[in-house]
Amino acid sequence: MSRSTFRKLAVGSAVFALLVLAATLILPLRPAKILDWTTTMAVAAFAMACCAVTAQRSPPGERLWRLLLGAAVFSSFLPKMVAAMQSGFSSRVLGSDVSILVPALMLYPLALAGLLTFPTVPAHSRDPSAGLGGRNGSWQLVTLLDCLLVVGALLLLGSATIIAPVLARGLGNAGSVVIIQIVGTAGKLLILIAIILIAIFRRPCGTGSLALVAAGVLISIVTDSVELYAYAAGRTQVHPAFALGFLVGRLLLGLGVAAPASGRLAAWTRHGPPALWVPVILPYVPVVGVVALVAVQVTMGTLNPPVLYGALGLVLIALLRQTVTLADNTRLVGHLRDSRDELHHQAFHDPLTGLANRALFNDRLQQAVTRHDRHGDPIAVLFCDLDDFKDVNDTLGHPAGDELLRATARRLTSSVRAADTVARLGGDEFAVLLEGPHDPAATGHRIAATIRGPCPLVGTTRTIQASIGMVVVEPAVGPLTAETLLHHADQAMYTAKRRGKGQMVIHPLNAGGASAVASGRCQVD
């Protein structure tokens, strides 16, 4: 719905409500009751139509909560309409009969379910798409338990000051209606608390719809309170004009689902979202009042069993909430650990081949040099550069080049021991760190032969050769640096490349610290 159409609908709804109010004040009691009932049912039909039409026009993420609110209104609308048609609009039906209100109470769990599916993201999330649509249901369960805690605590506190005196009056036939209205008020309060918690602890996708629905629920609660006060004062009925709040509440519900969506997350105040400890503490504030009430009644010796059982129920809900929160925190810690491990892997490994990157290779080379300086452990560093790699990229494309790099990485890894380090330094350059006892020449021959195997690329098979340079540190060599080893291995590789494709050159590093080409230079044919 466009903004201009919505404004016209809002103005029309306000005019309609004022006309109904004026008519109920002018008409006699019986016609006023009939007018109030029929207009309330008409507005309920209007709210259902708004839910159905806007749900049909909305994207999937905006659809479910509208359908659930429409079902909530329908659950209240249908039994009253059927009972009225069966009784011919008798005064008994128009007087809020219990047989009508009991099935109508289904609207509260349906409305609560609709609000818990309202599109939101976590309050502290910086990603506008994170959690949109509520894919992780833990926050819905925590919100539901918070609502039960707050509403249960408020009901227990109210029972000692308002509800108990009303029920103690012995209202006769109206007593059951009063109980149903108390339950209905608790249901509306549950919905209102849910809206408040969602608005505070989540980031709703636009606040206009939630604000209108909250206003409608608040007006309905005020109307219920007026009727309860009238019953507490000894009256058996109230004027239909006081029941106009139910009509206004349904009008606001229809306007809430029809409100144009901004498509943006609700903007927080300049202070930002609440601190992380607020959602943990706030729901327990009313519970503190219940604890104080129980303490006072125990001290005075007037503890009522309903208050005791209600307090025990709140304790169980609180324990369940803490269990859910603990499980959620455990899951978050696991996600953080996995994310940390993934970031660590990404920081020290090549994303294309999965091999160690230059940073990890340099770190392990430095550790190997330290062990050599202390204990004389043997070291060899091998540099490998693919021949004609540019030709593969130019003729077969970059995807074929990437596949060649991955195949080379697999072949290098399979040609050395698990304790050796294979790394991709960049482009088509690879390095291997060999530690412990080994035969450098045999290892180099094995690596060169493995790389030269046929490699399927984009429907064709290519035989790739590599220029290999290796520096071998003799046991008697004194202190050296990782940069020295890398430099000599790099120079050996370029010496092999100058001699032609598929060549391998080994530079032994002697005790004097100088390098020389080994007398048994290797050439891979």
Side-chain angles (χ1 to χ4, degrees):
M1 183 178 295
S2 65
R3 296 186 181 276
S4 59
T5 304
F6 176 76
R7 283 194 292 267
K8 294 177 182 178
L9 184 63
V11 172
S13 300
V15 172
F16 175 77
L18 291 175
L19 291 176
V20 172
L21 175 61
T24 53
L25 292 175
I26 295 174
L27 293 174
L29 184 60
R30 169 71 177 177
K33 285 185 176 182
I34 295 177
L35 177 64
D36 171 67
W37 191 89
T38 54
T39 52
T40 302
M41 291 298 99
V43 170
F46 161 76
M48 288 187 293
C50 289
C51 292
V53 173
T54 56
Q56 183 181 8
R57 297 179 179 179
S58 300
E62 294 272 354
R63 188 173 299 159
L64 182 58
W65 74 274
R66 289 182 165 89
L67 291 176
L68 288 173
L69 287 185
V73 178
F74 181 75
S75 68
S76 174
F77 172 84
L78 183 61
K80 288 187 178 182
M81 181 60 69
V82 171
M85 295 175 63
Q86 290 176 348
S87 63
F89 298 93
S90 67
S91 59
R92 177 176 176 272
V93 174
L94 300 180
S96 299
D97 186 59
V98 175
S99 62
I100 300 173
L101 289 177
V102 169
L105 292 178
M106 277 300 298
L107 75 92
Y108 301 115
L110 288 172
L112 185 59
L115 292 173
L116 292 178
T117 57
F118 193 87
T120 62
V121 300
H124 293 269
S125 173
R126 296 183 181 274
D127 182 7
S129 63
L132 195 61
R135 288 175 291 179
N136 180 10
S138 61
W139 77 266
Q140 284 101 337
L141 180 56
V142 170
T143 302
L144 175 61
L145 294 175
D146 287 345
C147 292
L148 294 177
L149 274 176
V150 175
V151 174
L154 293 178
L155 286 178
L156 284 178
L157 293 174
S159 65
T161 56
I162 301 176
I163 299 176
V166 171
L167 297 179
R169 287 181 175 273
L171 297 175
N173 295 332
S176 57
V177 177
V178 171
I179 294 176
I180 294 298
Q181 281 197 302
I182 292 174
V183 175
T185 302
K188 296 183 183 71
L189 186 61
L190 190 70
I191 295 173
L192 182 62
I193 295 299
I195 295 175
I196 294 174
L197 292 178
I198 291 173
I200 294 177
F201 302 142
R202 301 286 295 183
R203 298 178 65 189
C205 188
T207 55
S209 296
L210 280 181
L212 288 171
V213 174
V217 174
L218 181 60
I219 291 176
S220 298
I221 292 176
V222 173
T223 304
D224 277 337
S225 301
V226 170
E227 292 191 350
L228 284 175
Y229 179 79
Y231 288 126
R235 300 180 183 179
T236 58
Q237 61 181 357
V238 295
H239 193 276
F242 289 103
L244 189 66
F246 299 122
L247 180 146
V248 175
R250 288 174 173 81
L251 276 176
L252 290 173
L253 174 63
L255 292 174
V257 297
S262 63
R264 296 181 304 224
L265 296 176
W268 289 102
T269 64
R270 60 182 180 179
H271 301 293
L276 292 175
W277 59 267
V278 175
V280 179
I281 300 299
L282 187 59
Y284 293 101
V285 173
V287 179
V288 176
V290 174
V291 173
L293 174 64
V294 173
V296 170
Q297 290 189 351
V298 168
T299 303
M300 299 178 62
T302 59
L303 180 62
N304 296 322
V307 174
L308 177 61
Y309 296 148
L312 293 177
L314 290 180
V315 171
L316 292 177
I317 295 174
L319 290 176
L320 180 58
R321 182 193 188 275
Q322 291 303 112
T323 302
V324 174
T325 303
L326 180 61
D328 197 34
N329 290 339
T330 303
R331 184 170 57 252
L332 288 176
V333 170
H335 290 331
L336 288 175
R337 186 184 300 112
D338 294 341
S339 299
R340 182 196 61 191
D341 295 341
E342 183 179 356
L343 289 174
H344 184 272
H345 184 274
Q346 292 175 355
F348 293 101
H349 290 80
D350 175 55
L352 179 63
T353 62
L355 298 178
N357 60 12
R358 183 181 291 272
L360 180 57
F361 183 81
N362 289 338
D363 180 69
R364 292 186 177 177
L365 179 59
Q366 184 60 53
Q367 295 179 24
V369 169
T370 302
R371 286 191 292 271
H372 171 80
D373 293 341
R374 291 179 180 177
H375 311 292
D377 295 346
I379 307 173
V381 177
L382 180 146
F383 258 38
C384 172
D385 185 86
L386 299 181
D387 298 323
D388 298 327
F389 177 73
K390 185 177 184 300
D391 180 64
V392 172
N393 271 338
D394 294 341
T395 57
L396 301 181
H398 289 282
D402 292 343
E403 178 56 34
L404 175 59
L405 293 175
R406 286 190 288 265
T408 303
R410 292 191 295 269
R411 293 177 179 183
L412 285 171
T413 303
S414 65
S415 301
V416 298
R417 300 164 301 182
D420 299 326
T421 300
V422 181
R424 180 188 175 209
L425 303 184
D428 60 334
E429 290 186 347
F430 296 86
V432 180
L433 172 61
L434 304 173
E435 298 186 74
H438 58 272
D439 185 345
T443 302
H445 278 292
R446 185 171 61 251
I447 290 175
T450 304
I451 291 176
R452 290 181 68 245
C455 182
L457 298 173
V458 194
T460 185
T461 301
R462 299 287 292 266
T463 299
I464 305 299
Q465 300 186 89
S467 298
I468 298 176
M470 180 185 294
V471 59
V472 180
V473 181
E474 297 180 354
V477 174
L480 47 84
T481 63
E483 291 78 8
T484 301
L485 291 181
L486 290 174
H487 173 73
H488 288 303
D490 187 56
Q491 291 299 315
M493 184 270 294
Y494 278 107
T495 300
K497 188 172 285 290
R498 285 193 297 268
R499 295 180 178 179
K501 299 178 181 178
Q503 302 294 317
M504 183 177 69
V505 171
I506 299 178
H507 280 193
L509 197 62
N510 57 33
S515 65
V517 179
S519 57
R521 292 175 182 165
C522 303
Q523 177 174 333
V524 180
D525 298 322

